[in-house]
Amino acid sequence: MPPVTTSANVTFHPCFLRFDAASVSFSGKMVALIATYVLSRVVHHLLKPFSQPYMTSDLVIGLILASLPHARDSFTSLFSITLENIVDFGMISYAFVLGLEMDPYVILKSPTRHAMVAYAGTVSTFVAACAITPWLHYLRNSSVITFTLSLSISLSGSGSHILTRLMTYLKVGKSDIGKLSIGAGVHSDMITMFSVVLSFVFFPLQETANFREGIKTAVKTGAALMLQTLLAAKISPVFMNWINQSNPEGKPLKGSHLVLSMAFMTVICSLAPWMGYNSCLSAFMGGLFLPSEGRISKWTISRINNLLSTLFYPLFFFWVGLRVDISSFAVGNIGTWVRLFCLILIATIGKVGGTLICGLTLGYHRPELVAVGLLLTAKGHFHVYFAVDALRQGKIDVTTCISMVILIFLSVIHTPFVVKHIIERARKRVPVQRMTLRWLDPSSELRILLCLRGTHNLESGISLMEISRGKPAPGLFVHVTDMIELTEKIASTLVPGEGVDNMTITDNSVTEMRDEITRAFQTHINENVDGGIMLSRMLVLSTFNSMPHDISVLAEDLMVSLILLPFHKRLKADGILDEGHPGFRHVNRKLLRNAPCSIGILVDRGFGFTERLSTSSVSKVAVIFIGGKDDQEALAYAGRVAWHPGVKLTVIRFLVDKNSEHEPRRVNNRASVAEQEEEMKLDDECFAEFYEKYVAGGNVAYMEKHLANSSETYTNLMSIEGQYSLIIVGRAGRVNTILTQGLNDWQQCPELGPVGDVLSGSNSASGTSILIIQLHNIKGQLDGLSDEFSIM
């Protein structure tokens, strides 16, 4: 073709025009794909208050952007083929990991309750779909049997990974109903996927010329699938064990072994497709019978899942939008809505009905069974791919495919609301319990989460455990917890342990520190305590951003009434506190806002109570009571300290001297007179109970100081420093602030409260340790469901 000359005597060659058009088209594709990634994340963030999974935002954005005319026109046939190949490979990886995370041998065992519920919901939905769908004329160019079986299996399945992540995110996974839903979802997913695998052997997508040819094809693909399964089940464990033994935990994976493992997995999953079987289902069967335990398998699962969730899923739903043109949906046809409504009814009534009938015979409650049935209707990414692939093969029309996608979308968006309804109903049946010392049942043991940063907290930690034990009966249960920051160095030494969330640290410095702490606590209990104390060891390994949440979850799981934390500042050799660690200060401050129980922070200035046990000397401890809910909790803790024979406890009460000339005129304007009077009444009742129980009998000394204002409070606080080895104070929580008003003006550490901050001033070298206690705030309770909630 000759060059083109314009009126301005500028000459263009056609090849440059084609190149320019191609570059514009390529830029349009990139803009569309980048917009898909960005907008899906933005929409997910906006939907976060509704706890919607990523699938919801990915599906909505993918369908909307792909339906735009400019986006559809920019994707030529050549690029669409490339995109389809990427999607097919991504779904092969998805199916492989889905199978790798499942245990096929549970089918051979006696069915559990989870399995029975799953089988009942699956079978009832399958039967209902087989009975109804042939009469609704969904099929296009497919046999009635093939289409009915495929649609019925799809309606019977569940998206187990969607359910698992949702239950974990909403903190319901460890409850009865969470375990039932997750277990039933996994069983349902595995059974339906296995059914699809078998149906593709006998009813392949490519129709055969005659019956004899069909039998021949089924025997060939079935034999290839059987051979692949046998190799995966028998040979792969030997090979994978050799790889795992050659790459022990704590050492980097050898590159050659990693490549060899990936090649082996690829060969295993490729045997059946060489004989004409579906690649995606072959990958599922290969993953299903490969060993899921071991370092290589866990590495594969984590890496592929990360790539799928980060990169693949938004791209996948954009491809879905390109394939299913929303504008082609027959909105005006009443039959379209009838068929869609029937699909929703079959999936919902089938699952709920089967789950309800089976669950009632097993002894479950009816409302929870209905909720589990609704959760099991949730579908996943494979169901979307299954529907679009049927459209691609010409088995169904666009309207039917879009109806299936709408059904899957509706099955996903309702699941968070069902879970939240379960939580609300459970909380009505199980009243909220304040995890505090004041409201602890006298017949119940006190559970404490004692957190340590390292061996420098050993002496003070053991001392706190010792004085907190109270009466020998019912006793004290101490969960000694190491707070370790997750750094890159420590992360490289992590080894998967038993269970889903457990990890083992192989870093020598960390293991030696933990062993030393364990030996010290156990030695003290064996030598100095005559029963009454039970000890367990815990570990919180997190970044500083996630550590407060992890400690709160651990405290909830262990049902502790008190969390004891070390102050972020350490004692130097000269007796002065250092500048402190900002990371641990962040942890303390976040826990004060969100802890699920009462919380205490120890400012340690050499609190060595255990050394005095051997010399039979008495340790002087004081508790300061000004008023307010936190002081009441501090007084409750002091009641346990009073029982210890090695402690001489003194309670010091600060009272307002209303006859003083220096009494301040300005008080807390935010609190009404009624609120102030109510607090004074509760203070008097709490203190009267403590006085009668401990002071009247001579076990506890009592001092009373009448003060006019916060200036006198400051003077008295400074005067008692150095007289006691430990002073216990409440953090804040006071309505009447006459005696503390103005102390905040000089605060260095507001998280300690006005009194605690004065007593723990960095420039003081008095040797008096301070324990600041805050009452459990109900507003700080975590969302989720108690593990004790039963649905039986």
Side-chain angles (χ1 to χ4, degrees):
M1 183 178 292
V4 178
T5 304
T6 66
S7 58
N9 293 325
V10 180
T11 303
F12 293 98
H13 198 278
C15 66
F16 294 109
L17 294 175
R18 287 196 298 269
F19 175 78
D20 185 63
S23 63
V24 172
S25 177
F26 178 77
S27 63
K29 297 182 184 69
M30 292 306 299
V31 168
L33 295 179
I34 293 174
T36 302
Y37 285 105
V38 174
L39 290 178
S40 64
R41 295 301 178 260
V42 172
V43 172
H44 175 73
H45 181 73
L46 295 176
L47 294 177
K48 223 168 188 181
F50 305 101
S51 305
Q52 291 293 326
Y54 274 106
M55 184 176 174
T56 303
S57 57
D58 291 344
L59 179 57
V60 170
I61 294 301
L63 291 179
I64 292 176
L65 288 184
S67 65
L68 298 177
H70 183 71
R72 297 186 69 86
D73 295 340
S74 65
F75 282 83
T76 60
S77 58
L78 180 62
F79 198 85
S80 296
I81 293 173
T82 304
L83 187 60
E84 288 198 2
N85 291 333
I86 294 174
V87 168
D88 288 336
F89 179 76
M91 289 310 300
I92 289 172
S93 303
Y94 168 88
F96 175 73
V97 171
L98 184 65
L100 195 57
E101 291 178 315
M102 294 179 177
D103 180 14
Y105 300 104
V106 297
I107 301 176
L108 305 177
K109 300 176 183 177
S110 178
T112 61
R113 292 174 180 267
H114 304 161
M116 292 180 185
V117 171
Y119 298 155
T122 302
V123 170
S124 61
T125 308
F126 181 80
V127 171
C130 287
I132 298 174
T133 53
W135 307 98
L136 297 175
H137 307 291
Y138 288 104
L139 68 160
R140 182 180 177 184
N141 296 318
S142 178
S143 66
V144 176
I145 297 177
T146 303
F147 177 80
T148 302
L149 287 177
S150 301
L151 182 59
S152 301
I153 293 172
S154 181
L155 293 175
S156 305
S158 299
S160 58
H161 63 292
I162 297 291
L163 275 180
T164 302
R165 290 177 182 177
L166 178 66
M167 292 291 186
T168 304
Y169 176 75
L170 294 176
K171 307 176 186 71
V172 189
K174 294 183 180 180
S175 62
D176 269 357
I177 195 167
K179 292 175 183 177
L180 175 64
S181 301
I182 292 173
V186 171
H187 277 87
S188 177
D189 208 1
M190 182 170 60
I191 290 297
T192 52
M193 286 293 293
F194 197 68
S195 301
V196 172
V197 168
L198 293 179
S199 66
F200 262 70
V201 173
F202 300 102
F203 305 100
L205 288 176
Q206 291 78 19
E207 296 183 0
T208 54
N210 51 56
F211 179 76
R212 186 175 179 180
E213 189 67 26
I215 294 295
K216 195 175 181 179
T217 303
V219 171
K220 183 178 69 172
T221 56
L225 187 63
M226 183 66 68
L227 176 62
Q228 172 183 301
T229 303
L230 288 175
L231 290 176
K234 299 300 181 183
I235 296 179
S236 61
V238 179
F239 175 79
M240 300 299 283
N241 286 336
W242 171 69
I243 292 290
N244 290 325
Q245 290 172 4
S246 302
N247 296 270
E249 301 289 356
K251 293 185 178 180
L253 282 170
K254 297 178 182 178
S256 59
H257 286 181
L258 186 59
V259 172
L260 193 61
S261 302
M262 296 299 104
F264 178 79
M265 294 178 182
T266 303
V267 170
I268 287 292
C269 297
S270 302
L271 292 177
W274 285 341
M275 295 298 172
Y277 190 70
N278 184 275
S279 300
C280 189
L281 298 178
S282 176
F284 171 77
M285 289 298 290
L288 187 65
F289 286 94
L290 280 170
S292 58
E293 297 299 325
R295 190 177 182 188
I296 292 295
S297 297
K298 294 182 184 301
W299 182 91
T300 304
I301 291 172
S302 63
R303 293 300 187 276
I304 294 181
N305 275 332
N306 188 40
L307 285 173
L308 290 175
S309 59
T310 305
L311 298 176
F312 175 69
Y313 290 148
L315 180 66
F316 167 71
F317 283 109
F318 185 81
W319 170 79
V320 171
L322 289 177
R323 270 290 176 181
V324 292
D325 187 2
I326 300 179
S327 61
S328 302
F329 187 59
V331 179
N333 189 351
I334 189 65
T336 300
W337 298 106
V338 171
R339 296 186 190 99
L340 174 60
F341 187 67
C342 287
L343 286 178
I344 297 173
L345 281 181
I346 293 170
T348 306
I349 296 178
K351 282 288 186 184
V352 174
T355 303
L356 194 60
I357 294 172
C358 179
L360 290 176
T361 60
L362 295 175
Y364 291 112
H365 292 144
R366 183 180 288 104
E368 279 70 40
L369 288 172
V370 174
V372 170
L374 290 173
L375 291 175
L376 292 178
T377 61
K379 305 293 186 287
H381 298 82
F382 180 79
H383 299 89
V384 179
Y385 178 75
F386 196 43
V388 178
D389 191 56
L391 172 66
R392 183 168 55 172
Q393 299 294 335
K395 304 300 179 182
I396 58 176
D397 58 17
V398 175
T399 299
T400 302
C401 182
I402 294 176
S403 298
M404 289 294 297
V405 173
I406 294 174
L407 167 67
I408 296 167
F409 174 73
L410 294 177
S411 73
V412 172
I413 62 172
H414 82 277
T415 49
F417 302 104
V418 174
V419 175
K420 289 183 177 180
H421 173 73
I422 294 170
I423 295 173
E424 291 174 2
R425 187 172 180 276
R427 285 179 173 170
K428 290 178 182 177
R429 290 175 53 193
V430 183
V432 176
Q433 179 183 2
R434 299 198 73 161
M435 303 303 292
T436 67
L437 300 173
R438 281 194 64 198
W439 305 113
L440 182 68
D441 186 353
S443 62
S444 301
E445 65 184 0
L446 173 62
R447 293 172 175 261
I448 290 179
L449 192 70
L450 180 58
C451 299
L452 306 178
R453 288 169 50 187
T455 53
H456 60 279
N457 297 136
L458 256 179
E459 189 65 33
S460 59
I462 293 176
S463 301
L464 276 180
M465 178 187 71
E466 176 65 29
I467 67 172
S468 302
R469 65 182 185 178
K471 295 182 180 179
L476 175 69
F477 200 146
V478 182
H479 303 279
V480 181
T481 304
D482 299 313
M483 304 164 61
I484 299 177
E485 180 191 7
L486 181 61
T487 60
E488 292 184 3
K489 178 184 176 183
I490 294 179
S492 64
T493 66
L494 293 179
V495 174
E498 296 182 359
V500 179
D501 302 320
N502 292 340
M503 302 294 287
T504 302
I505 302 178
T506 58
D507 184 87
N508 290 332
S509 61
V510 177
T511 54
E512 289 174 2
M513 179 200 73
R514 298 199 72 215
D515 291 342
E516 183 180 350
I517 292 175
T518 303
R519 284 194 302 270
F521 272 89
Q522 198 60 58
T523 300
H524 173 79
I525 291 176
N526 295 338
E527 294 179 356
N528 300 298
V529 180
D530 300 328
I533 295 183
M534 294 182 64
L535 178 70
S536 75
R537 293 287 280 118
M538 296 292 166
L539 170 66
V540 173
L541 177 64
S542 311
T543 61
F544 286 126
N545 284 332
S546 59
M547 190 177 289
H549 176 267
D550 292 343
I551 292 176
S552 296
V553 171
L554 181 61
E556 273 198 322
D557 291 342
L558 298 175
M559 300 183 69
V560 301
S561 298
L562 179 65
I563 299 174
L564 292 175
L565 298 166
F567 191 41
H568 70 279
K569 297 182 179 182
R570 291 177 56 177
L571 189 68
K572 296 189 293 187
D574 58 0
I576 305 294
L577 296 175
D578 63 13
E579 295 301 318
H581 194 296
F584 284 106
R585 184 181 190 184
H586 168 77
V587 172
N588 291 354
R589 298 176 78 168
K590 289 280 285 185
L591 281 170
L592 286 168
R593 289 196 294 268
N594 302 313
C597 61
S598 294
I599 187 170
I601 297 178
L602 177 67
V603 181
D604 181 21
R605 289 206 189 98
F607 182 40
F609 176 76
T610 54
E611 295 179 356
R612 308 185 183 186
L613 290 175
S614 57
T615 60
S616 301
S617 61
V618 176
S619 180
K620 292 184 178 180
V621 178
V623 55
I624 297 176
F625 187 86
I626 299 176
K629 58 183 182 180
D630 291 347
D631 279 16
Q632 295 168 15
E633 185 73 353
L635 202 62
Y637 178 78
R640 297 190 67 89
V641 176
W643 286 102
H644 200 285
V647 172
K648 178 60 178 176
L649 179 66
T650 301
V651 57
I652 306 173
R653 187 174 190 186
F654 288 3
L655 295 170
V656 178
D657 185 3
K658 297 184 178 180
N659 298 322
S660 172
E661 299 176 351
H662 305 288
E663 181 188 0
R665 296 178 181 179
R666 185 169 59 91
V667 294
N668 186 359
N669 295 322
R670 295 183 180 180
S672 65
V673 176
E675 289 176 326
Q676 295 181 13
E677 291 178 351
E678 179 66 20
E679 183 182 85
M680 292 173 62
K681 178 183 176 182
L682 293 175
D683 288 341
D684 291 339
E685 291 177 356
C686 179
F687 195 85
E689 181 182 352
F690 181 87
Y691 190 95
E692 182 180 352
K693 194 172 184 179
Y694 300 103
V695 179
N699 298 324
V700 175
Y702 174 56
M703 293 176 59
E704 197 173 273
K705 294 182 179 290
H706 293 267
L707 310 175
N709 49 42
S710 58
S711 177
E712 294 186 12
T713 301
Y714 180 84
T715 303
N716 277 269
L717 290 175
M718 299 306 296
S719 67
I720 62 177
E721 270 201 307
Q723 301 180 27
Y724 303 94
S725 58
L726 177 68
I727 297 178
I728 305 169
V729 298
R731 177 175 177 263
R734 302 177 185 91
V735 174
N736 295 295
T737 58
I738 294 177
L739 299 183
T740 57
Q741 192 173 29
L743 294 180
N744 299 341
D745 298 341
W746 304 293
Q747 277 186 325
Q748 296 178 351
C749 298
E751 64 268 24
L752 301 181
V755 177
D757 184 73
V758 169
L759 291 172
S760 62
S762 300
N763 297 325
S764 173
S766 63
T768 299
S769 299
I770 314 298
L771 179 61
I772 300 95
I773 291 182
Q774 174 183 277
L775 180 72
H776 173 210
N777 182 7
I778 288 293
K779 293 181 180 179
Q781 189 175 18
L782 291 176
D783 293 332
L785 190 58
S786 171
D787 298 355
E788 302 298 312
F789 172 64
S790 175
I791 61 172
M792 295 298 292

